[in-house]
Amino acid sequence: MSYALYRRFLAMSATVALGGSVLAGCGSSDDGDAGARSGPVELTYWAWAPGLDKVADLWNKGPGKKEQITVTVKKQASGDDLVTKIVTAAKAKQAPDLVQAEYQALPTLVSNDVLADISGEADGARGAFAPGVWQQVTLGSDAVYAIPQDSGPMMFYYREDLFGKYGLKVPATWDEFAETARALKKKAPDKDLTTFSANDSGLFAGLAQQAGARWWTTEGDKWKVGIDDAATRKVADFWGGLVAEDVIDNQPMYTPAWNKALNTGQQIGWVSAVWAPGTLTTAAPDTKGKWAMAPLPQWSASKPATGSWGGSTTAVTNDSEHKAAAAAFATWLNTDPKALAALVEESGIYPAATAAQTGGALAEAPDYFSNQPDFYTEAAAIAKTTAPAAWGPNVNVAYTTFKDAFGRAAKNKAGFGAALTAMQDKTVADLKKNGFGVAQ
């Protein structure tokens, strides 16, 4: 997709609130001479990750000092709150130079003319990242709208001791996963292999991504929504079938009941991402050292792939008067070895740059997984198989509909086919409502 295509979207879009629908066009900035500067340059970076101010200080005292470029980090809320704030600031021509943006937010920000194409300054960073991760900051085009910062490759976590106790084999495929769930129920009816949770849209999106789904693509100057495609339907039918069969739980994650299920061994597995050790440390403190991590079960054993659950980028805004300087910092922040080590230590992220995913600050396994010393070596190998993702300008609508429709279906154990269709239909209707062309 080209930058010109997004600009055409701007012309046909009307501004609306994020809470209800798609954020639409708000005008464009004069690109001007993005790299021109004389004397010291001061950049402002809106971000939510902890400790980024300390990482920025390394730049300010090192490369930034040499280049006379100073970066000030201003802490912000994350998620939709930041997207709303940055779009509002851009409308007033008061956006910061840099912003931390989640991957799925990039199309919304680009279609609102918030983000600059920094391909001229930053395309050389491409080789530092897995192709499936880099693709998410290009939106499938020749442009570059951000530099990947952290990523959330998905994997499978399981109670190693209880798998041994019940004679279970770690599933390598989703068919084996289903058989493992059934086998556990027969041997221990009071236990569940895992739960299907309808309170986190990102989990389902990552599972669909692994299966090959491309939820938003373009045809000419129109969006095409493929949420109810064959790949996603396969995923929905798989999980809906397990819930209906009553061989896995159907309760949401991140509740006291879910924490208790993990901590007591009532739930002995969890489909999650690389950041799971931090969650398990809090949710299931009594089971430290009893879990292990393995690759996500596969749909095709000969073509290993994983999805992404979470992750963010560093983007340069069109309002910045020093785009080249901002792009230089964004590239340094997410590719320089010292910066990456500081991001791991100070911000607790899993870096998107492949060179930083093992060794250094990640040389040792998380303390919770001290029984699996090759944790990060295994995670890095999994991360390289990250499948491409395709996001659109109204991810918030799709995610909200998922929580509502899949939440009801999971509670009623009614299958997920109708819920997936609702997700597709509401996403398409929202695009049309806000003036976007939609291909059938």
Side-chain angles (χ1 to χ4, degrees):
M1 186 186 305
S2 68
Y3 180 70
L5 175 56
Y6 273 106
R7 297 299 289 269
R8 284 199 293 275
F9 288 153
L10 296 177
M12 65 179 75
S13 303
T15 303
V16 295
L18 176 64
S21 194
V22 180
L23 283 165
C26 59
S28 62
S29 300
D30 180 9
D31 292 336
D33 182 4
R37 69 176 190 267
S38 58
V41 170
E42 295 185 359
L43 304 175
T44 301
Y45 179 20
W46 284 6
W48 71 81
L52 275 177
D53 53 339
K54 297 179 180 178
V55 184
D57 282 345
L58 296 179
W59 164 270
N60 294 334
K61 297 173 183 177
K65 183 175 183 180
K66 181 179 179 181
E67 296 292 330
Q68 294 186 294
I69 302 169
T70 301
V71 176
T72 299
V73 176
K74 293 191 175 181
K75 193 72 176 289
Q76 306 292 324
S78 60
D80 288 350
D81 289 341
L82 179 55
V83 174
T84 300
K85 185 174 182 179
I86 193 72
V87 171
T88 301
K91 284 185 63 178
K93 304 298 182 185
Q94 294 179 349
D97 300 278
L98 299 128
V99 61
Q100 184 179 8
E102 294 176 293
Y103 293 99
Q104 69 268 22
L106 293 178
T108 296
L109 296 176
V110 172
S111 65
N112 279 274
D113 206 24
V114 175
L115 302 186
D117 173 8
I118 56 172
S119 55
E121 297 83 6
D123 192 59
R126 175 188 304 266
F129 307 95
V133 173
W134 184 256
Q135 176 268 343
Q136 294 191 65
V137 300
T138 68
L139 307 184
S141 71
D142 293 330
V144 176
Y145 295 109
I147 304 295
Q149 184 165 92
D150 60 316
S151 63
M154 295 176 67
M155 43 204 69
F156 177 57
Y157 294 86
Y158 63 98
R159 280 284 299 272
E160 197 170 26
D161 58 333
L162 296 181
F163 263 60
K165 176 179 178 179
Y166 297 116
L168 303 176
K169 180 182 177 182
V170 179
T173 67
W174 287 112
D175 284 343
E176 291 179 4
F177 184 91
E179 289 304 318
T180 302
R182 296 181 184 112
L184 175 64
K185 271 297 176 189
K186 289 180 180 178
K187 295 178 180 181
D190 62 327
K191 297 189 181 298
D192 296 292
L193 177 59
T194 192
T195 186
F196 179 85
S197 173
N199 69 344
D200 199 312
S201 316
L203 170 59
F204 184 72
L207 290 170
Q209 176 189 350
Q210 184 213 18
R214 303 294 295 274
W215 283 359
W216 286 268
T217 54
T218 58
E219 286 187 4
D221 60 355
K222 295 181 178 180
W223 284 103
K224 186 170 185 178
V225 180
I227 292 174
D228 195 1
D229 64 357
T232 308
R233 185 158 286 274
K234 176 172 66 175
V235 174
D237 289 347
F238 175 82
W239 287 96
L242 293 180
V243 170
E245 195 179 338
D246 207 24
V247 293
I248 63 171
D249 199 2
N250 63 339
Q251 300 302 310
M253 299 179 295
Y254 312 124
T255 64
W258 181 74
N259 291 347
K260 182 179 179 181
L262 292 176
N263 201 38
T264 61
Q266 180 184 339
Q267 180 180 322
I268 72 169
W270 183 27
V271 174
S272 188
V274 70
W275 41 259
T279 301
L280 290 170
T281 298
T282 301
D286 297 340
T287 62
K288 175 183 176 181
K290 297 179 180 180
W291 291 80
M293 178 269 287
L296 208 60
Q298 299 294 307
W299 292 108
S300 173
S302 63
K303 297 178 181 178
T306 195
S308 298
W309 186 4
S312 62
T313 70
T314 309
V316 178
T317 73
N318 275 318
D319 282 353
S320 176
E321 296 179 357
H322 307 286
K323 295 182 180 66
F329 170 76
T331 303
W332 171 87
L333 179 66
N334 299 303
T335 62
D336 180 84
K338 290 183 179 179
L340 290 166
L343 283 172
V344 174
E345 292 284 357
E346 301 292 347
S347 303
I349 71 164
Y350 183 72
T354 55
Q357 291 173 350
T358 57
L362 299 180
E364 296 183 1
D367 184 56
Y368 193 91
F369 280 81
S370 57
N371 56 304
Q372 191 173 6
D374 65 344
F375 181 94
Y376 283 119
T377 301
E378 179 72 11
I382 294 170
K384 290 179 181 178
T385 69
T386 301
W391 305 110
N394 60 342
V395 173
N396 61 305
V397 173
Y399 275 19
T400 298
T401 306
F402 169 83
K403 292 178 182 179
D404 292 341
F406 276 76
R408 288 192 296 272
K411 182 178 180 180
N412 298 327
K413 300 182 180 180
F416 295 158
L420 188 63
T421 299
M423 197 174 164
Q424 166 87 17
D425 291 347
K426 288 195 176 184
T427 303
V428 169
D430 179 79
L431 286 173
K432 291 179 177 178
K433 174 184 174 183
N434 289 285
F436 290 94
V438 179
Q440 298 301 318

